[in-house]
Amino acid sequence: MTEESTRSAADRPPVRPPAGSTDTAGGGRTRSGLCSVTFRRLPAAEVARRAIDAGLEVIEWGADVHAPAGEPDTVRAVREVSDRHGLVCCSYGSYFRATPAELAGFPAVARAAVLLGAPRVRVWAGGIGSRSVAPDERQETVRCLREAARIAADHGLELATEFHGKTLTDTVASTVRLLDEVGADNVRTYWQPPLDVPDEQAAAGLVELGDRVAAVHVFSWWPANNRLPLADRRDLWVAALGRLAGRGLEALLEFVPGDDPTVLAREAETLRRAVDRASSIRHDRP
């Protein structure tokens, strides 16, 4: 009997629709959610309760504190917490950096995602920025991501790279290049506004990324990493979410001001209003 055949139905991930498809659990609708790393200091049960109380639908459980890949019993307990609160796990937030030293541990990451019921694993494209990386180092990251994608596919999972500084997905152009180089149908990218980039310019990057965006991490930082209420950059998020409307993606709140759980309801309400506004107005689409 294979490992796959011994999994319970609850442990198996949902079948992932093709990239860019709107045939998802959200019916093409943008779902609002939370990254659990936003409240690392809180137990998983409280994070889930606060997310539901704030009217959020989905969650990305982080591998650093709440759901470590090497602790399957903890991961199962987190899945039970999600199910008890009616909170859908849309992603597993791993810290896999696509290095040769980490590849042997990636099957455990994939298994943890399956236990959570997550259809997607968030990964990182190395640890060097695209302007500084040597060609051989870039190719090593590509090779490791390609192998991780193969392992993920064996578990019915999608990968999505963190869109982040000091990685090979620190710019839109480098992200597109990397996804082309990896060449796997089950690899896409997250998106978040680059630091210190004006709203219009930041949202414009979504045109080039197009259907390769799997989800977005939502926050309001300006300047640099100074955390503001989400409402202070509402125009950015209406524009960005408008470009993504109808694709069945998730907009996940991350890093609220002061790491304060009491502001979650306010930030979630701002996000929902931005989603509603974005879906009701016409935007140029890629």
Side-chain angles (χ1 to χ4, degrees), residues 2-283:
T2 65
E3 177 188 4
E4 180 65 31
S5 64
T6 63
R7 294 176 184 154
S8 69
D11 284 346
R12 295 191 186 105
V15 176
R16 185 183 65 83
S21 170
T22 59
D23 184 16
T24 68
R29 178 174 58 83
T30 300
R31 296 184 294 173
S32 301
L34 176 69
C35 295
S36 78
V37 297
T38 305
F39 303 121
R40 285 186 172 104
R41 293 173 294 180
L42 299 182
E46 185 172 352
V47 173
R49 178 185 62 78
R50 286 183 178 273
I52 288 297
D53 288 349
L56 299 172
E57 301 174 78
V58 297
I59 190 164
E60 176 182 279
W61 286 111
D64 58 339
V65 174
H66 292 116
E71 300 178 19
D73 288 343
T74 300
V75 174
R76 289 187 185 95
V78 169
R79 171 68 181 271
E80 291 172 2
V81 163
S82 291
D83 290 348
R84 185 164 66 248
H85 286 86
L87 190 62
V88 174
C89 180
C90 65
S91 180
Y92 182 41
S94 86
Y95 290 86
F96 174 75
R97 287 268 180 179
T99 65
E102 294 176 286
L103 265 180
F106 189 76
V109 173
R111 289 193 295 270
V114 170
L115 287 176
L116 286 170
R120 180 173 64 242
V121 179
R122 188 276 310 274
V123 297
W124 296 67
I128 303 174
S130 61
R131 294 178 178 86
S132 302
V133 70
D136 59 336
E137 291 174 307
R138 184 180 183 102
Q139 285 308 307
E140 193 74 345
T141 300
V142 168
R143 183 186 69 80
C144 291
L145 282 173
R146 192 177 292 144
E147 177 62 12
R150 185 193 65 77
I151 295 168
D154 287 345
H155 289 76
L157 299 168
E158 176 183 57
L159 300 184
T161 56
E162 179 83 356
F163 187 72
H164 202 279
K166 297 182 181 179
T167 73
L168 297 186
T169 48
D170 55 359
T171 69
V172 168
S174 183
T175 300
V176 170
R177 177 185 168 189
L178 179 74
L179 295 177
D180 286 343
E181 289 170 333
V182 173
D185 291 341
N186 65 329
V187 181
R188 291 194 283 165
T189 187
Y190 276 79
W191 182 84
Q192 62 191 38
L195 289 184
D196 291 326
V197 175
D199 292 0
E200 185 175 349
Q201 182 181 344
L206 288 165
V207 175
E208 189 173 353
L209 289 173
D211 287 342
R212 288 172 154 177
V213 177
V216 294
H217 285 159
V218 178
F219 52 81
S220 179
W221 291 7
W222 192 273
N225 60 355
N226 181 41
R227 299 183 187 184
L228 306 174
L230 193 62
D232 286 12
R233 299 192 78 185
R234 182 187 288 109
D235 290 348
L236 163 67
W237 286 107
V238 170
L241 294 171
R243 295 186 185 280
L244 299 171
R247 295 179 180 174
L249 306 183
E250 297 91 27
L252 306 171
L253 287 166
E254 185 180 42
F255 301 131
V256 299
D259 295 328
D260 183 1
T262 67
V263 307
L264 180 60
R266 179 197 73 195
E267 298 294 270
E269 176 63 19
T270 300
L271 175 58
R272 284 195 299 274
R273 288 178 181 271
V275 169
D276 290 345
R277 176 63 175 156
S279 65
S280 68
I281 61 177
R282 182 178 181 83
H283 289 266

